Amino acid sequence: MNDRYDVVIAGAGPAGAQCARDLAARGYDVVVLETEAEDEFPRQSNKSTAGTFPSMMASFGIPDDVVMQYTDSVVLESPTEHYVREQPGAVLEFADFKRYLVADGRDDGAEYRFEARVTAPIMEGGEIVGVTYNGDEAVYGDIVVDATGPAAPLAKKLDVVDLKRENHAIGIEYEFEGIDIDRPGFADLRDAMMLRLDHDIAPGGYSWIFHTGEDTAKVGLCYIQNDSHAQYSREDFSIDDYLSHWLDTDPRFRDAERIEGKQHRGSAHIQAPGKLHTDRFMAIGDTVPTVDPLWGEGINKCMQSGRAAAAAADSCLKHGDIEPSTENLAVYDTLWHRDVAPNANTRLLMTQLLYLAPNERYDKLMQDLGRLGDETLANANNGSPLAIARLLDLEDIPLLAQFAKQQFGFDFDGLLS
Ligand SMILES: Cc1cc2nc3c(=O)[nH]c(=O)nc-3n(C[C@H](O)[C@H](O)[C@H](O)COP(=O)(O)OP(=O)(O)OC[C@H]3O[C@@H](n4cnc5c(N)ncnc54)[C@H](O)[C@@H]3O)c2cc1C
């Protein structure tokens, strides 16, 4: 078996598989090492609700047959209010989507090795020249990419990422049938992706119902195990308990039944971007971490990061004599900050502020959104300070004070009294 490639990629998630597609399409020798077995792929890594938008489908040529349901709107819910935004989307069958990315990359010549668990970088002269997998097997490349998601075995060992425990977000989801998808008193969730801000259900996070057809939907929740979670959480409640509590108390689930085998679990780190690459090495997707902090949109972001890494690799490899050194791969960082996650730090602060707000403030936020309209939400979502300011009001001062104390250790109490 060949053990030398232009690029070695660890992990066949959306980020790694997209990076491989782009590199193979440009004619490079690329191998992807994936820890799971091919016949049941994806198993544990089948973790995503996979709600996405037409821009992702068009940019990456994703076919209709991996779509479970096209949607027309995104609904934001609070304990007693909701806000509907018309926005076309698609809920994918994540497993089909992952398998499609692998098959399409292979058609262009990408090589995949399944049951290949990457463990460590192989170093020569202080630079990574390959990786070991399954204990004593080795493969070498001019460039190595870590796309293993939160596992990040290479990026951690190379000190490219420092994933912090306090920034760890966990998520769980089941698929159901028998859901009352248009229940009086609630928003109509037909052809919708709904996100709910409600600390009784997801303390310091959010929950969701994504319609997948007729009376079926993906139902889940996630939260970051940080101060906001601690402030609103119940003692001894696990994430499974929160989901059970929601299912037991929301009338939309009264006749709902779980679809067997359709359970998804996963995690990601929600933290400020740091280093993304070093000599001969790039970290992409959730390894970095790339997932959008506010609404958990990871698929598009991760695939964009895979594309940016492929472009950076190409910019070195196509000339033959340009070393993939830290300096020469810096274009990856530039593309990441410009195209993949612009305003990442502002969005992170917004996220922390949002999840700190109490339930009553969420109700008011929905009313304000109804009044201010889609444009304010879209601009705030993109990190516009003006739009964010429009969504805040005088009643938020205590909240902002608490936020400042948590973030910067700055005590406003004296000023407010
Ligand atoms: C519950 C949940 C719901 C979500 N819902 C959405 C959503 O609706 N929309 C959206 O856009 N995003 C969503 N996301 C986020 C999105 O799924 C992730 O951001 C995305 O899957 C990350 O892609 P990735 O390729 O970086 O990593 P991953 O998807 O984590 O893929 C990593 C791959 O690497 C493999 N691997 C791991 N370790 C090793 C190793 N040592 N050696 C070799 N291979 C390894 C894994 O098996 C896996 O195949 C959700 C996430 C969760 C957890």
Side-chain angles (χ1 to χ4, degrees), residues 10-16 33-36 41-42 45 47-52 94 98 116-119 147-153 171-173 208 210 221 264-268 284-287 291 296-300 302:
L33 307 172
E34 165 59 46
T35 190
E36 296 189 348
F41 178 78
S45 71
K47 62 181 183 181
S48 188
T49 315
T52 192
F94 192 58
K98 281 190 78 165
R117 185 176 144 70
V118 172
T119 40
T148 55
I172 178 178
E173 166 185 278
W208 62 85
F210 282 15
L221 64 93
H264 315 290
R265 256 172 218 278
S267 70
I284 64 174
D286 276 357
T287 301
V291 64
E297 189 194 8
I299 292 172
N300 190 22
C302 291

Side-chain angles (χ1 to χ4, degrees), residues 325-336:
S325 60
T326 303
E327 297 76 44
N328 292 332
L329 289 176
V331 63
Y332 170 56
D333 280 44
T334 308
L335 293 173
W336 195 93

Side-chain angles (χ1 to χ4, degrees), residues 10 23 68 72 129 138 164-165 224 235 240 280 312 384 392 414:
L23 287 166
M68 292 176 88
D72 299 326
V129 293
K164 302 263 189 231
R165 224 183 119 66
I224 311 171
E235 218 169 302
D240 296 76
R280 299 184 176 275
S384 151
L392 295 170

Side-chain angles (χ1 to χ4, degrees), residues 371-383:
R371 190 169 47 81
L372 294 167
D374 286 356
E375 208 181 326
T376 306
L377 178 62
N379 290 340
N381 211 24
N382 289 332

Side-chain angles (χ1 to χ4, degrees), residues 166-182:
E166 66 268 24
N167 300 325
H168 193 220
I170 50 173
I172 178 178
E173 166 185 278
Y174 297 134
E175 293 186 31
F176 287 90
E177 57 191 352
I179 293 183
D180 194 349
I181 208 78
D182 182 19

